[in-house]
């Protein structure tokens, strides 16, 4: 059969005869002689079904949440996979919705087809004008881009554009009408049940649905917390900068990977660990919040409530977030994270890591006063007190708990009563005696006792618990300055207005320990102020304590401290307070010097009430010594005393007595 003339021949009838049957596109001898060309082969006309089948379109249910940020809303669905995106989340962002019926391929599907990275088109370098100064700009033969326009964030995606849609294919697929029975998911903004002609199941363009008044009321209820709108006080980075930042890309991958493997506890644990390593600055915290890292951690804690390692790692990560920005406590409370911490502490009562990290997270919350209501709602105080009772020998747990209670005592008055009822003071007193107790732990315990002693009921419990002996022992044995500061402050508050505790401190050698501390660190202002206050309380009810101090040389220490710290009002007040309770002989040679520095302190701090009050008390005691009277009779001293009497009611009786003494003698 000749392909040129369509004539058929027997093998023997053809001229010349043929020996075998020809193959392919064959021409007879006549057509070859006449040089008749072969017609072009007829192409098979592809139907629309053939075209759609060759494209391998996705035919299934698309995701309800954005592939990038995991939030719902108005989504654009890819025709080649199950992924859906917000227009601004897609890489690069979509400037507008594709036309009806046109196929669209997302960035994930397009990336595998690209072999070369492109500029992002969004960063400062891409948007900058050429400098017209570099070698690339000045050379006409060079086709390289300006040095200052080199993109630092190249990617396997087309550059961002405001006029074209990346991934749009010039293939139109007519979509069928939306039936009355089709379901519309308003929560995600995606239309369901809309199928195209030819069996294509991809839903692509998702327009914003109108939400009724009932939905608006529901949305308002979800957005309200504690009687008002939620305000996280965190300025999140824009989506553009978040996509371009390499650190943000890593964080997003960590969170997305954990959410895709939500059933794998090890994957969630690793994700929490990696997020914690990225918490080096507040910017990364904002990115973690942007990509819903808090929600991922909370979901992991709920899903794997029996995994101790994951619970401990999650508590530690949440604590790191709070340390970076205390304002995140509102976000954590809204997501239920604070309550989850308390629950896991109640479930794993003796696990060291869970209890330590849980107490640490609650401790971090207490450094912001606005977080206290959230701690109360989650019953965090009870969780920490229970942890202290269940782990009496675990110093790491006790340390974090002591810092937490110390801060709670400042914010909440009922904390002292709760501590007294729980009877944890003897536990921390025994922990102080532990040979492995380090300086930081002792400091935390002393700080807690100092704040707890402000409550009368708790002060009595401290005296009976044996904590005083432990504090004095720590003061004698430790060479750490901060421990001595905290111990002296604790003794001062424990002895305040409590004769029983003053006797216990004296019997335990507290007076000698405090004096040795200030001799070792005579130049430390904080230690001197706390030590002078503790000595004053011990001298109030025991004159013998005052004689011991005088014999040891406390007067010289007082004179030096007041002269070296004249501008420090609280130092002058503490020193004057101790001077007023020291016993003096009638011919005491040091008394005039003390009176001189007291008068000097009152002159320099005329408007500081506590300096004037303590100064008048000290001068009244010194006025009993004849050698001090000439100074008190001077006009400047009399004028100073009258000023104190006029300005401060507490000074009136002392000033009247001083003036009466000076007139008699």
């Amino acid at each position: 059969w000749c392909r040129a003339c369509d004539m058929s021949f027997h093998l023997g009838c053809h001229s010349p005869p043929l020996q075998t049957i020809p193959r392919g596109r064959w021409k007879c001898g006549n057509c070859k002689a006449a040089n008749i060309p072969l017609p072009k082969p007829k192409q098979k006309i592809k139907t629309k079904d053939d075209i759609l089948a060759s494209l391998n379109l996705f035919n299934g249910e698309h995701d309800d949440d954005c592939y990038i940020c995991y939030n719902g809303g108005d989504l654009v669905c890819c025709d080649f996979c199950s992924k859906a995106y917000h227009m601004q989340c897609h890489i690069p962002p979509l400037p507008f919705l594709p036309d009806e019926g046109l196929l669209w391929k997302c960035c994930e599907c397009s990336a595998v087809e690209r072999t070369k990275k492109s500029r992002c088109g969004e960063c400062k370098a891409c948007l900058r004008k050429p400098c017209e100064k570099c070698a690339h700009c000045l050379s006409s033969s060079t086709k390289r881009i300006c040095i200052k326009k080199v993109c630092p964030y190249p990617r396997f995606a087309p550059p961002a554009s405001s006029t074209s849609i990346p991934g749009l294919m010039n293939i139109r697929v007519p979509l069928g009408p939306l039936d009355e029975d089709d379901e519309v998911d308003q929560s995600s903004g995606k239309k369901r049940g809309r199928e195209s002609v030819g069996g294509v199941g991809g839903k692509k363009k998702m327009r914003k649905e109108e939400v009724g008044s009932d939905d608006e009321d529901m949305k308002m209820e979800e957005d309200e917390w504690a009687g008002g709108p939620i305000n996280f006080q965190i300025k999140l980075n824009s989506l553009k900068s978040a996509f371009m930042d390499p650190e943000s890309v890593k964080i997003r991958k960590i969170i997305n990977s954990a959410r895709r493997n939500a059933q794998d506890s090890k994957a969630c644990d690793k994700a929490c660990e990696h997020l914690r390593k990225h918490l080096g600055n507040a910017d990364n915290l904002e990115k973690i919040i942007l990509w819903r890292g808090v929600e991922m951690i909370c979901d992991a804690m709920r899903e794997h409530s029996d995994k101790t390692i994951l619970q401990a790692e999650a508590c530690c990560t949440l604590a790191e977030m709070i340390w970076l920005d205390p304002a995140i406590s509102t976000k954590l409370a809204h997501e239920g994270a604070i309550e989850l911490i308390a629950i896991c502490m109640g479930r794993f009562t003796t696990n060291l890591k869970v209890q330590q990290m849980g107490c640490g997270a609650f401790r971090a919350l207490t450094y912001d006063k606005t977080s206290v209501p959230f701690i109360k709602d989650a019953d965090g105080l009870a969780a920490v007190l229970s942890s202290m009772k269940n782990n009496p020998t675990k110093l790491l747990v006790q340390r974090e708990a002591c810092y937490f209670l110390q801060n709670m005592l400042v914010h909440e008055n009922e904390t002292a009563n709760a501590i007294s009822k729980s009877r944890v003071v003897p536990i921390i007193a025994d922990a102080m005696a532990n040979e492995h107790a380090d300086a930081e732990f002792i400091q935390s315990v002393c700080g807690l006792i100092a704040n707890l002693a402000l409550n009368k009921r708790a002060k009595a419990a401290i005296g009976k618990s044996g904590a005083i002996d432990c504090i004095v022992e720590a003061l004698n044995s430790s060479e750490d300055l901060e421990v001595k500061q905290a111990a002296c402050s604790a003794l001062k508050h424990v002895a305040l207005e409590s004769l029983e505790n003053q006797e216990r401190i004296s019997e335990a050698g507290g007076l000698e320990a405090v004096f040795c501390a200030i001799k070792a660190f005579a130049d430390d202002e904080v230690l001197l102020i706390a030590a002078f206050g503790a000595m004053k309380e011990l001298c109030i009810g025991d004159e013998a304590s005052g004689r011991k101090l005088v014999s040891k040389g406390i007067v010289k220490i007082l004179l030096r401290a007041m002269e070296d710290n004249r501008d420090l009002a609280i130092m002058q007040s503490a020193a004057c307070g101790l001077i007023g309770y020291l016993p003096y002989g009638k011919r005491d040679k040091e008394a005039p010097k003390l009176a001189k520095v007291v008068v000097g302190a009152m002159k320099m701090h005329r408007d500081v009430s506590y300096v004037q009050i303590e100064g008048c008390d000290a001068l009244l005691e010194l006025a009993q010594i004849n050698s001090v009277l000439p100074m008190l009779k001077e006009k400047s001293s009399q004028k100073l005393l009258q000023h104190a009497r006029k300005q401060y009611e507490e000074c009136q009786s002392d000033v009247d007595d001083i003036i009466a003494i000076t007139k008699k003698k």
Side-chain angles (χ1 to χ4, degrees), residues 82-370:
S82 62
K83 300 178 181 64
Y85 302 82
H86 293 114
M87 293 177 61
Q88 69 272 20
C89 289
H90 187 266
I91 306 175
L94 303 179
F96 47 85
L97 286 172
D99 292 337
E100 280 288 341
L102 288 180
L103 296 179
W104 177 72
K105 185 178 290 187
C106 71
C107 57
E108 292 291 328
C109 296
S110 301
V112 297
E113 301 173 358
R114 297 178 65 90
T115 58
K116 185 178 179 182
K117 290 184 177 181
S118 301
R119 301 161 56 205
C120 68
E122 300 174 291
C123 66
K124 292 182 179 180
C126 292
L127 300 177
R128 184 184 292 122
K129 294 181 180 180
C131 66
E132 304 295 343
K133 296 179 181 179
C134 66
H136 297 168
C137 292
L138 297 176
S139 176
S140 58
S141 60
T142 304
K143 296 183 179 180
R144 298 178 65 181
I145 193 171
C146 173
I147 294 176
K148 293 189 176 181
K149 285 182 66 65
V150 176
C151 180
Y153 310 113
R155 61 198 182 190
F156 288 105
S161 173
S162 60
T163 58
S164 61
I165 300 177
L168 186 65
M169 304 179 67
N170 193 20
I171 300 176
R172 185 173 294 276
V173 180
L175 299 178
L178 184 66
D179 298 333
E180 294 180 357
D181 298 334
D182 290 341
E183 178 188 357
V184 177
D185 187 354
Q186 294 182 348
S187 62
S188 64
K190 292 173 57 178
K191 298 178 181 178
R192 302 186 181 278
R194 185 176 185 178
E195 303 220 343
S196 64
V197 177
V200 180
K203 286 79 70 178
K204 38 188 293 310
K205 294 180 288 299
M206 303 303 144
R207 291 187 167 83
K208 190 173 182 180
E209 304 291 340
E210 294 183 0
V211 182
S213 59
D214 294 339
D215 293 335
E216 291 179 358
D217 295 339
M218 185 180 299
K219 184 177 181 182
M220 289 178 62
E221 292 176 1
E222 293 176 352
D223 289 345
E224 290 179 357
W225 182 259
I230 300 173
N231 183 10
F232 297 139
Q233 299 293 334
I234 294 178
K235 184 179 180 181
L236 298 178
N237 292 333
S238 65
L239 286 169
K240 286 187 177 181
S241 61
F243 277 119
M244 293 186 295
D245 181 22
E247 194 77 9
S248 181
V249 173
K250 294 179 183 178
I251 292 172
R252 178 163 56 88
K253 287 182 178 179
I254 294 171
I255 296 172
N256 289 352
S257 175
R259 294 184 72 90
R260 293 192 188 97
N261 300 281
Q263 303 299 324
D264 188 354
S265 62
K266 292 185 178 179
C268 296
D269 174 39
K270 286 293 182 183
C272 292
E273 181 182 355
H274 291 158
L275 286 181
R276 182 164 52 84
K277 292 179 180 179
H278 283 281
L279 286 170
N281 53 65
D283 290 340
N284 285 353
L285 173 59
E286 294 179 3
K287 295 165 189 173
I288 292 174
I289 297 174
L290 174 64
W291 302 123
R292 301 188 70 188
V294 176
E295 290 84 341
M296 182 274 291
I297 295 173
C298 293
D299 291 342
M301 294 181 72
R302 294 187 185 98
E303 182 70 23
H304 306 285
S305 58
D306 57 335
K307 303 295 183 181
T308 56
I309 297 178
L310 186 145
Q311 298 290 325
E313 192 64 49
C315 291
C316 185
T317 305
L318 293 173
E320 289 289 338
M321 293 181 179
I322 301 167
W323 281 113
L324 277 176
D325 192 345
I328 197 181
S329 60
T330 307
K331 171 73 172 177
L332 298 182
H334 183 61
E335 298 297 337
I338 300 177
E339 185 177 359
L340 287 171
I341 295 172
I343 291 173
C344 78
M345 290 178 66
R347 182 178 288 113
F348 306 103
T349 55
T350 57
N351 185 275
L352 173 61
K353 288 295 182 182
V354 171
Q355 298 301 319
Q356 179 189 354
M357 299 306 172
C359 291
F362 279 115
R363 172 194 171 186
L365 285 170
T366 57
Y367 287 95
D368 183 15
K369 188 176 181 179
T370 59

Side-chain angles (χ1 to χ4, degrees), residues 276-517:
R276 182 164 52 84
K277 292 179 180 179
H278 283 281
L279 286 170
N281 53 65
D283 290 340
N284 285 353
L285 173 59
E286 294 179 3
K287 295 165 189 173
I288 292 174
I289 297 174
L290 174 64
W291 302 123
R292 301 188 70 188
V294 176
E295 290 84 341
M296 182 274 291
I297 295 173
C298 293
D299 291 342
M301 294 181 72
R302 294 187 185 98
E303 182 70 23
H304 306 285
S305 58
D306 57 335
K307 303 295 183 181
T308 56
I309 297 178
L310 186 145
Q311 298 290 325
E313 192 64 49
C315 291
C316 185
T317 305
L318 293 173
E320 289 289 338
M321 293 181 179
I322 301 167
W323 281 113
L324 277 176
D325 192 345
I328 197 181
S329 60
T330 307
K331 171 73 172 177
L332 298 182
H334 183 61
E335 298 297 337
I338 300 177
E339 185 177 359
L340 287 171
I341 295 172
I343 291 173
C344 78
M345 290 178 66
R347 182 178 288 113
F348 306 103
T349 55
T350 57
N351 185 275
L352 173 61
K353 288 295 182 182
V354 171
Q355 298 301 319
Q356 179 189 354
M357 299 306 172
C359 291
F362 279 115
R363 172 194 171 186
L365 285 170
T366 57
Y367 287 95
D368 183 15
K369 188 176 181 179
T370 59
S371 303
V372 175
F374 303 141
I375 297 174
K376 294 175 64 177
D377 293 340
D379 208 8
L381 178 60
V384 173
L385 292 174
S386 177
S387 176
M388 296 178 73
K389 290 189 288 186
N390 293 325
N391 303 274
T393 60
K394 296 174 181 176
L395 301 184
L396 294 176
V397 177
Q398 298 293 331
R399 183 192 66 190
E400 297 296 328
C402 285
Y403 280 124
F404 165 79
L405 295 176
Q406 182 178 341
N407 295 339
M408 285 295 292
L409 285 167
V410 176
H411 299 311
E412 189 66 27
N413 295 329
E414 295 299 324
T415 304
N417 294 330
I419 295 174
S420 300
K421 293 178 181 178
S422 64
R423 299 179 181 178
V424 297
V425 177
I427 294 176
I428 59 176
D430 294 339
M432 283 186 69
N434 192 311
E435 60 181 358
H436 299 293
D438 58 4
E440 186 178 2
F441 173 70
I442 296 174
Q443 184 182 350
S444 68
V445 175
C446 291
L448 172 60
I449 291 176
N451 285 282
L452 188 61
L454 298 176
N455 181 278
K456 291 184 178 180
R457 179 180 176 182
K459 184 181 296 185
I462 292 171
K464 298 176 182 178
S465 66
I468 292 176
D469 294 334
C470 295
I471 295 173
V472 174
E473 177 61 27
L475 192 58
N476 285 323
S477 60
S478 178
E479 298 296 329
D480 188 87
L481 173 60
E482 293 182 348
V483 170
K484 293 184 180 296
Q485 292 172 351
C488 288
S489 179
L491 291 177
K492 169 188 171 183
H493 288 85
V494 170
L496 182 65
E497 299 179 356
S498 175
L499 293 177
E500 294 180 356
N501 287 346
Q502 292 171 8
E503 292 177 0
R504 291 189 178 99
I505 294 173
S506 298
E507 292 173 0
L511 183 68
E512 292 80 1
V514 173
F515 185 81
C516 291

Side-chain angles (χ1 to χ4, degrees), residues 6-55:
D6 287 341
M7 293 184 67
S8 301
F9 301 86
H10 292 115
L11 294 178
C13 295
H14 186 266
S15 178
L18 301 175
Q19 299 299 323
T20 58
I21 299 175
R23 297 179 179 277
R25 293 166 61 80
W26 174 75
K27 290 194 299 183
C28 64
N30 297 332
C31 293
K32 287 182 179 180
N35 198 19
I36 299 174
L38 290 173
K40 293 182 179 180
K42 295 181 180 180
Q43 294 182 351
K44 182 182 178 181
I45 300 176
K46 291 185 179 180
T47 63
K48 189 177 297 182
D49 293 340
D50 295 335
I51 296 174
L52 295 177
S54 65
L55 292 175

Side-chain angles (χ1 to χ4, degrees), residues 615-621 623 629 632 638 641 651-664:
C616 289
D617 288 341
L619 291 178
L620 178 60
E621 186 68 26
L629 293 178
L632 296 180
Q638 292 287 319
L641 292 171
C651 298
Q652 291 179 2
S653 59
D654 289 341
V655 172
D656 291 340
D657 292 341
I658 294 171
I659 293 174
I661 293 173
T662 56
K663 288 181 178 180
K664 288 181 181 179

